[in-house]
Amino acid sequence: MSTPAATLSSNAALTPPRYTPAQLVLLVIVAGTIVRLICARFIGLGYGEAYYFACALDPQWSYFDQPPLGLWMGWLGMKVTGAVGPLSLRWPFIAMFAGTTWLMFAIGRRLFGDWPGFYAALLLNLSAVFTLSVGSWLQPDGPLMFFCLACVYCLVRLLFDAGLQRVMLWWLGVGVTLGLAMLSKYHAVFFVFGAGMFVLLSPRQWRWLRHPGPYVAMLIAAAVFAPVLVWNVEHEWISFLWQGKRAGYAGLRWDWLLRSISGQALWLLPWIWVPLVVELGRCAWRGLHVAGRRLSRHDAADTRHVDDDARHLLFWLAIGPVAAFTLVALWAPLGLHFHWQAPGYLVLFLALGATVHHLLQRRGPWRRAVQWWLSLSIVFTLAAIAMLTSHAATGWWRSVGPQWLSTKAGESSDPTLESLDYTPLRAALTARDRLRPDLFYVTNRWFQSGKVAYELQGQHAVFCFSPDARSWAFITDSSRWLGRDAVLIGTDGFLHDPRGELGGYFESITPIGHVAVTRGPYVEITLRLYYCKRLKKPYANPYR
């Protein structure tokens, strides 16, 4: 029986391929972009996205918990379209992931060949965390992955192209792309570590230790990253201190470690995660083995095992984020941040693409197994995206699914509820004459303030009165609203005692009703509204 993967694998001399690898990659990009645009249109903003939207309304040099580039892109998306909506915020990230897919192919082609590059790009688009989260959502990971791969492409040209011309221009490219990756998310620092370890353990690359290129690149990267440093100097290095505290020791918790590993497998999709982990081990074995032999002989002239050299580089680029954030989960409450290891898995797709191509050239059970694995991966990923998108939009799974999706006490264990917009809120406030420019709006959770700001289209003052206010503590100043009235918005799961929690800030807090946020026939979230009379004192910055 013929499978889609069998058709794709007809690249051997057995049968001339109908399309070139580059043409197939373009087809993947077009098809993936269409799917992401559909998903972006029908899935509301998640907690993080709504929060980033609120931050992007007022562009800063940097932000409390993230560098600024991803948020600048959200601001740009709104400016270009002149609108506030899911597509206007997400289109820059969808467009950037098209570039990420092409870069994956271009690097794979340089390291292993055209078809391995194609399979790497295809598999990248079949992984949930990349094809949905990184590929379309308003968050720092989109530009991080793009510029990390752009930096890797420049490094690959420098490290593996023997007759490369204009070397300093390529090192300039390394500096700019590395700086932009760091301007997206702090995770990019692991690529500095990885590239450095590869050079130190590869005698053939020692010449770069005496070359000005790497040092110029680091200076350029630091200059591009400078806005983050300037902002942190002005705010007592709060961003670095806060991120460092998240890795604080809270006792050994093996269940946290297991949760982290399981979450990574789920985010990447288990049938893709397992091969990627295998590739990490193969890169370590083959790459470090060859590097060890060369180091023992001090042989920089050995030009054999080029494939293993490439895997050696990929190992060091991957191991930092994968190992660090997995091990930290053993003692730090990282919660559900299973995507933090994603930059490491990103480069492992290159090695996996090469392995898939190699197995497809073999006759026998391995070839048939890989063909079926590719075919089922395509089917399962498309089915999973369709189910997730349709359930997030309609809630249909509640009618047929297990009871763990049911709501309770104002909260829900259904993760798709994060994407449910507070659509009825504006009409409810208008009907109560509580949508006015002389009022401001408050929640006691950073993500709910983002949801409220998004529903009000960024046209009204929104605050977060919470010890965990995050960027709200720096992008808003409630002292300018002293003596003014507010509307407090909360849910039973997070706002238990409004007068006890916030009564000291207002003369009075009075319930004025509730708003039911529905999805299909179900009431999924109940927003409680309170009228707060006269702000008596500003909410102090909890980080000072």
Side-chain angles (χ1 to χ4, degrees):
M1 181 183 294
S2 177
T3 66
T7 302
L8 292 176
S9 65
S10 63
N11 51 326
L14 303 173
T15 306
R18 173 180 291 184
Y19 301 104
T20 67
Q23 289 172 331
L24 287 173
V25 171
L26 291 175
L27 181 61
V28 168
I29 289 173
V30 171
T33 299
I34 292 172
V35 170
R36 289 181 200 98
L37 287 171
I38 294 173
C39 293
R41 170 62 182 83
F42 291 104
I43 297 180
L45 265 60
Y47 285 164
E49 288 185 287
Y51 166 66
Y52 293 140
F53 157 77
C55 295
L57 290 171
D58 182 21
Q60 305 280 325
W61 284 115
S62 191
Y63 296 88
F64 169 76
D65 46 0
Q66 299 290 354
L69 186 55
L71 282 69
W72 290 351
M73 288 174 57
W75 174 85
L76 177 64
M78 290 185 287
K79 287 298 181 182
V80 170
T81 60
V84 173
L87 282 179
S88 64
L89 290 165
R90 289 168 169 163
W91 73 261
F93 300 86
I94 296 173
M96 184 161 279
F97 192 72
T100 301
T101 299
W102 184 261
L103 281 170
M104 180 66 72
F105 167 67
I107 298 169
R109 177 168 57 183
R110 283 278 171 183
L111 291 177
F112 304 110
D114 285 5
W115 283 102
F118 162 71
Y119 290 118
L122 173 65
L123 290 166
L124 175 70
N125 281 263
L126 296 180
S127 175
V129 69
F130 289 101
T131 201
L132 275 182
S133 176
V134 172
S136 60
W137 294 352
L138 165 58
Q139 57 181 1
D141 299 81
L144 170 70
M145 303 303 173
F146 176 82
F147 288 113
C148 278
L149 281 189
C151 183
V152 171
Y153 181 79
C154 295
L155 282 172
V156 165
R157 296 296 305 271
L158 286 160
L159 299 175
F160 295 102
D161 284 11
L164 186 67
Q165 302 295 318
R166 297 185 290 235
V167 168
M168 284 303 297
L169 188 61
W170 283 102
W171 278 115
L172 185 148
V174 169
V176 171
T177 54
L178 174 62
L180 290 170
M182 294 173 63
L183 201 63
S184 304
K185 205 166 186 178
Y186 298 129
H187 292 57
V189 71
F190 286 106
F191 277 60
V192 180
F193 163 79
M197 290 300 297
F198 173 74
V199 169
L200 289 174
L201 296 177
S202 303
R204 290 186 60 206
Q205 308 296 341
W206 286 351
R207 68 187 187 279
W208 297 118
L209 298 175
R210 302 183 298 273
H211 194 280
Y215 308 101
V216 171
M218 293 299 293
L219 289 174
I220 293 172
V224 175
F225 186 64
V228 178
L229 301 176
V230 170
W231 188 91
N232 272 276
V233 167
E234 295 175 348
H235 296 87
E236 301 175 345
W237 302 100
I238 185 62
S239 186
F240 297 104
L241 292 173
W242 185 77
Q243 293 288 6
K245 287 180 180 178
R246 301 178 86 175
Y249 184 77
L252 293 181
R253 292 287 299 270
W254 295 99
D255 57 324
W256 288 354
L257 178 63
L258 180 61
R259 180 179 65 181
S260 174
I261 295 173
S262 302
Q264 293 170 53
L266 184 63
W267 259 121
L268 285 157
L269 298 180
W271 51 89
I272 293 177
W273 175 76
V274 170
L276 288 175
V277 173
V278 172
E279 286 302 322
L280 179 62
R282 294 183 72 236
C283 287
W285 173 255
R286 292 177 57 181
L288 294 178
H289 178 67
V290 170
R293 288 195 306 178
R294 288 175 178 162
L295 282 170
S296 65
R297 299 195 305 263
H298 299 283
D299 187 1
D302 184 2
T303 57
R304 298 171 298 171
H305 311 290
V306 175
D307 182 88
D308 291 338
D309 287 339
R311 290 179 177 275
H312 186 204
L313 172 64
L314 297 180
F315 168 77
W316 283 113
L317 294 177
I319 192 61
V322 172
F325 291 118
T326 300
L327 291 175
V328 167
L330 178 60
W331 62 79
L334 301 184
L336 304 181
H337 293 96
F338 307 133
H339 61 291
W340 284 359
Q341 293 87 350
Y345 289 115
L346 176 72
V347 297
L348 291 175
F349 281 102
L350 295 162
L352 182 57
T355 298
V356 167
H357 172 69
H358 172 72
L359 293 175
L360 286 173
Q361 304 313 299
R362 299 171 61 177
R363 297 181 182 274
W366 271 111
R367 178 178 180 177
R368 289 192 295 272
V370 172
Q371 288 173 349
W372 276 105
W373 171 73
L374 274 176
S375 300
L376 292 176
S377 294
I378 294 171
V379 172
F380 287 160
T381 298
L382 290 176
I385 291 174
M387 292 179 64
L388 176 66
T389 302
S390 59
H391 170 65
T394 66
W396 64 270
W397 183 255
R398 287 192 60 184
S399 301
V400 299
Q403 291 301 309
W404 56 265
L405 290 184
S406 61
T407 57
K408 52 184 179 180
E411 299 179 79
S412 173
S413 54
D414 181 353
T416 66
L417 285 187
E418 284 196 19
S419 65
L420 193 58
D421 295 330
Y422 294 173
T423 305
L425 179 61
R426 174 182 285 271
L429 291 172
T430 301
R432 293 170 172 82
D433 191 29
R434 294 295 184 263
L435 189 63
R436 307 196 308 261
D438 60 310
L439 298 177
F440 65 98
Y441 303 85
V442 182
T443 85
N444 70 333
R445 290 294 187 275
W446 58 269
F447 50 88
Q448 290 185 336
S449 290
K451 285 286 193 178
V452 171
Y454 178 64
E455 179 56 33
L456 300 183
Q457 301 284 286
Q459 298 173 355
H460 297 267
V462 178
F463 296 87
C464 179
F465 285 6
S466 167
D468 185 22
R470 307 204 180 183
S471 282
W472 291 102
F474 300 91
I475 64 176
T476 58
D477 180 8
S478 59
S479 65
R480 293 182 293 179
W481 290 79
L482 289 172
R484 308 284 281 275
D485 297 349
V487 176
L488 173 63
I489 303 164
T491 59
D492 293 336
F494 297 112
L495 186 59
H496 306 288
D497 182 12
R499 294 185 181 88
E501 292 183 40
L502 299 176
Y505 292 92
F506 298 96
E507 289 185 357
S508 63
I509 299 179
T510 306
I512 57 173
H514 67 275
V515 178
V517 181
T518 61
R519 184 171 60 171
Y522 303 104
V523 175
E524 301 282 24
I525 301 171
T526 299
L527 301 176
R528 306 292 179 182
L529 306 182
Y530 303 85
Y531 192 78
C532 305
K533 192 70 175 178
R534 293 180 59 84
L535 179 65
K536 296 188 295 185
K537 60 181 180 179
Y539 195 88
N541 187 318
Y543 306 106
R544 291 174 179 164

